[in-house]
């Protein structure tokens, strides 16, 4: 019998926002893998740390912060060979993901490589748009609203088309795109409905005005409320 | 000192997908309110039941299934008067919501009525799109994808515009709209990328083809994967 590959969402940052199902698996699974920078333990591992008992076999999926495609593929290929060897030996493996595994999650790359060879299950997690809306106390969507979730890297014309087709929006991973996005939202008359949330649910969470010129981390998003 | 109003997401259906923060509050808060049909306890209350100790004060927000606007307003007005009386007396009140409180959540109507009078906090929850993607083992979004979240009640032209502007989509609360949406997705050449998930994470969860003509409950959605 081969083991099962588990994608485990660990939520947006506050360890208390992990689900009971996820923590039960963190307790039970013998092998845990997690994406990480070239050194250190990575955000998902840090979130889950209070629930990981000593003595697990752990696999770091080492990704550089500004990776080229070939490096990223090689990192996932290598990690998936290690994961597959445990699964072949009958050991279940959990892959930790910040937020939700299938919503912009690194688990998708593991899933693509291993889903045809092993049983797979996914534990959904609380995602950053919901965490940011909770921090800002702003509705994401209500009634018949349509919501667009847009990566900050999208070109202005594409973001504009999505904003115009929807009632509310989340622009993900704002970071260094803040000034360009603020100009675009202002031009579209949406600035008064927008707020920036950085590192939602973490102890250094910030809610800042769109016009604020402070540097933002990658873990920041703009909510355009309905 | 007044009490704090808590919006508490209890996730998509499986009680194990409630967060630790939510269950800690279910244990601690003296008063819990929950939306419900005219009789019975309501979906959010059912999800949370394993974590609710005996002896809580509970407030049912009674909503008819096909409500008119005035009835709905009256139901929320009445429930919010009862909630406010507890908050004024210094008792914290938790309002339970299936999924996430601010993502199409009924908590939004309570928030609108009480946010200027009392301290408020929200505990985000796992939402049905993430639960459905986990059930279907399909990515919701990856890399630079844009995602549209669209209510099934939207007119065809609006759904078409949103689908064309995005890479992936979730059409929420499909129910009796299935045949119309299947025809639309087929016309747009998207049927092969679409799957229907009903009652994700519950024991009677179903994953059905878009072409399947079975009746669907309100708790069903279509994933159009990237």
């Amino acid at each position: 019998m081969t083991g099962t590959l588990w994608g485990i969402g660990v939520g947006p940052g506050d360890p208390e926002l992990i689900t009971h199902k996820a923590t039960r698996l963190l307790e039970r699974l013998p092998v845990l893998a997690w994406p990480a920078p070239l050194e250190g333990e990575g955000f998902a591992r840090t979130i889950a740390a209070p629930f990981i008992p000593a003595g697990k076999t752990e696999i770091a999926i080492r990704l550089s912060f500004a990776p080229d495609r070939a490096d990223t593929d090689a990192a996932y290929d290598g990690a998936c060979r290690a994961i597959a060897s445990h699964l072949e030996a009958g050991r279940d493996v959990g892959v930790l993901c910040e937020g939700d595994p299938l919503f912009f999650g690194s688990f998708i790359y593991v899933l693509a490589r291993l889903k045809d060879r092993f049983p797979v299950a996914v534990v959904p997690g609380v995602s950053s748009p919901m965490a940011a809306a909770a921090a800002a106390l702003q509705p994401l969507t209500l009634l018949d609203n349509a919501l667009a979730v847009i990566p900050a890297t999208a070109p202005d014309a594409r973001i504009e088309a999505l904003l115009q087709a929807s009632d509310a929006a989340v622009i993900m991973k704002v970071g260094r795109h803040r000034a360009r996005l603020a100009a675009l939202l202002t031009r579209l008359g949406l600035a008064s409905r927008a707020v920036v949330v950085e590192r939602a649910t973490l102890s250094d969470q910030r809610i800042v005005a769109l016009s604020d010129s402070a540097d933002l981390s990658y873990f920041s998003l703009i909510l355009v409320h309905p």
Side-chain angles (χ1 to χ4, degrees), chain A:
Chain A
M1 288 288 288
T2 60
T4 295
L5 172 67
W6 287 88
I8 303 177
V10 298
D14 177 352
E16 271 213 290
L17 292 174
I18 306 182
T19 65
H20 286 261
K21 185 164 187 175
T23 60
R24 180 172 59 77
L25 287 162
L26 295 175
E27 184 80 28
R28 181 175 74 71
L29 301 181
V31 184
L32 300 176
W34 28 271
L38 295 179
E39 297 188 18
E41 73 174 13
F43 187 32
R45 176 66 176 76
T46 304
I47 296 169
F51 298 101
I52 300 179
K56 300 285 178 185
T57 300
E58 302 198 41
I59 298 168
I61 308 171
R62 298 281 175 199
L63 303 162
S64 66
F65 188 71
D68 77 19
R69 180 64 184 263
D71 285 354
T72 305
D73 282 348
Y76 281 110
D77 288 346
C80 287
R81 278 192 296 273
I83 291 169
S85 72
H86 288 289
L87 294 169
E88 282 164 355
R91 289 186 285 276
D92 292 347
V93 179
V95 179
L96 311 189
C97 296
E98 58 252 30
D100 178 83
L102 297 172
F103 179 73
F104 298 109
S106 50
F107 180 69
I108 294 167
Y109 307 103
V110 177
L111 179 70
R113 285 168 172 79
L114 298 177
K115 73 183 160 75
D116 295 332
R117 296 173 54 198
F118 301 102
V120 183
V122 173
V123 181
V126 175
S127 293
S128 57
M130 288 70 185
L137 292 177
Q138 295 282 1
L140 267 179
T141 46
L142 68 166
L143 289 172
D144 291 338
N145 288 166
L147 173 74
V149 180
I150 310 168
T153 49
D156 279 14
R158 178 150 208 238
I159 297 175
E160 183 169 346
L162 284 157
L163 289 168
Q164 287 181 338
S166 56
D167 304 293
V170 181
I171 306 178
M172 306 279 296
K173 301 170 188 172
V174 172
R176 64 191 170 77
H177 299 279
R178 190 201 55 77
R180 175 177 65 89
L181 296 168
L184 176 63
L185 289 164
T186 300
R187 180 166 65 74
L188 298 174
L190 295 172
S192 65
R193 284 166 44 197
V195 66
V196 182
V197 182
E198 186 185 36
R199 302 177 70 80
T201 81
L202 291 167
S203 58
D204 55 354
Q205 165 185 301
R206 289 193 307 163
I207 299 171
V208 296
L210 187 63
S211 57
D212 190 308
S213 61
D215 281 348
L216 290 173
S217 84
Y218 179 79
F219 293 106
S220 56
L221 52 76
I222 296 173
L223 300 176
V224 183
H225 62 82

